[in-house]
């Protein structure tokens, strides 16, 4: 089998509708300008309210490389398990982040993670949160397992097709409801 090219996951598209695609599970999505490899460990610094909430409320998240224009991210991302969360008193240069502020007032977290695998981002329940100027809500993505062999890519493509069909169905139901209201 020839490799299937991976299209980016659009962050500027409409959300998926009310139902998760079959064969997926929901995981927080963290578009970042970085790539992580399975089996590695990393430290992520969180300064936005939505990412701080994500790391306090979730045990894992997907880190997917975000495009320069922030309109899309990689459709395959690293699944990161959160191992430790603590206040980040200093930046990487050793400077204090906010002179005179307590660690709680700074609101910056240092999150130590282990990369436990890769997943394919199929859909997202709340893409509008990415565009909100308040940046107070983290993204929740529907993800499917991702394997590096051709068989895994075929399964991922089938899950993606099911997600597209579910989105079309949701749009049709919404259109029918709107038409019924006008009558």
């Amino acid at each position: 089998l020839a490799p299937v090219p991976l299209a980016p996951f659009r962050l500027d598209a409409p959300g998926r509708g009310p139902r998760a695609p079959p064969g997926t599970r929901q995981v927080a999505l963290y578009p970042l300008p970085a790539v992580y490899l399975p089996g590695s460990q990393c430290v992520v610094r969180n300064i936005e309210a939505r990412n701080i909430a994500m790391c306090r409320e979730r045990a894992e998240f997907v880190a997917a490389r975000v495009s320069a224009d922030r309109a899309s991210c990689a459709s395959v991302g690293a699944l990161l398990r959160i191992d430790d969360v603590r206040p980040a008193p200093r930046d990487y240069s050793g400077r204090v982040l906010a002179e005179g502020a307590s660690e709680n007032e700074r609101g910056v977290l240092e999150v130590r993670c282990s990369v436990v695998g890769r997943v394919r981002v199929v859909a997202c329940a709340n893409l509008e949160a990415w565009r909100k100027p308040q940046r107070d809500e983290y993204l929740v993505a529907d993800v499917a397992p991702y394997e590096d062999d051709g068989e895994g890519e075929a399964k991922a493509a089938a899950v993606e097709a099911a997600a597209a069909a579910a989105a079309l169905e949701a749009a049709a139901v919404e259109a029918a409801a709107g038409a019924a209201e006008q009558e």
Side-chain angles (χ1 to χ4, degrees), residues 10-178:
R10 301 298 308 178
L11 295 168
D12 57 359
R16 68 154 158 79
R19 291 190 304 176
T24 64
R25 66 184 181 109
Q26 290 192 325
V27 178
L29 173 62
Y30 194 170
L32 289 169
V35 175
Y36 301 102
L37 299 175
S40 64
Q41 295 183 328
C42 61
V43 175
V44 179
R45 294 175 57 83
N46 289 337
I47 60 172
E48 291 184 9
R50 64 180 165 194
N51 300 327
I52 290 170
M54 175 190 71
C55 288
R56 289 186 171 146
E57 296 170 8
R58 299 285 182 141
E60 61 186 8
F61 63 92
V62 175
R65 183 164 172 77
V66 69
S67 62
D69 64 1
R70 299 176 55 84
S72 64
C73 69
S75 59
V76 174
L79 183 62
L80 278 68
R81 181 187 67 223
I82 298 172
D83 297 325
D84 186 40
V85 178
R86 61 180 64 179
R90 300 184 181 277
D91 70 9
Y92 290 121
S93 70
R95 294 182 304 224
V96 174
L97 290 168
E99 287 294 337
S102 72
E103 288 182 4
N104 287 337
E105 290 171 322
R106 287 185 202 126
V108 178
L109 294 180
E110 179 181 273
V111 183
R112 295 187 181 277
C113 303
S114 296
V115 184
V116 295
R118 297 194 310 162
V119 293
R120 183 172 182 123
V121 179
V122 176
C124 187
N126 60 337
L127 278 174
E128 68 284 349
W130 182 248
R131 299 180 287 271
K132 288 168 92 177
Q134 304 90 335
R135 296 182 173 213
D136 59 351
E137 180 183 357
Y138 58 86
L139 297 175
V140 179
D142 302 308
V143 301
Y146 182 80
E147 305 295 331
D148 288 319
D149 62 359
E151 189 176 312
E153 291 172 8
K155 288 178 189 174
V159 169
E160 189 171 294
L168 286 173
E169 181 183 341
V173 168
E174 191 174 305

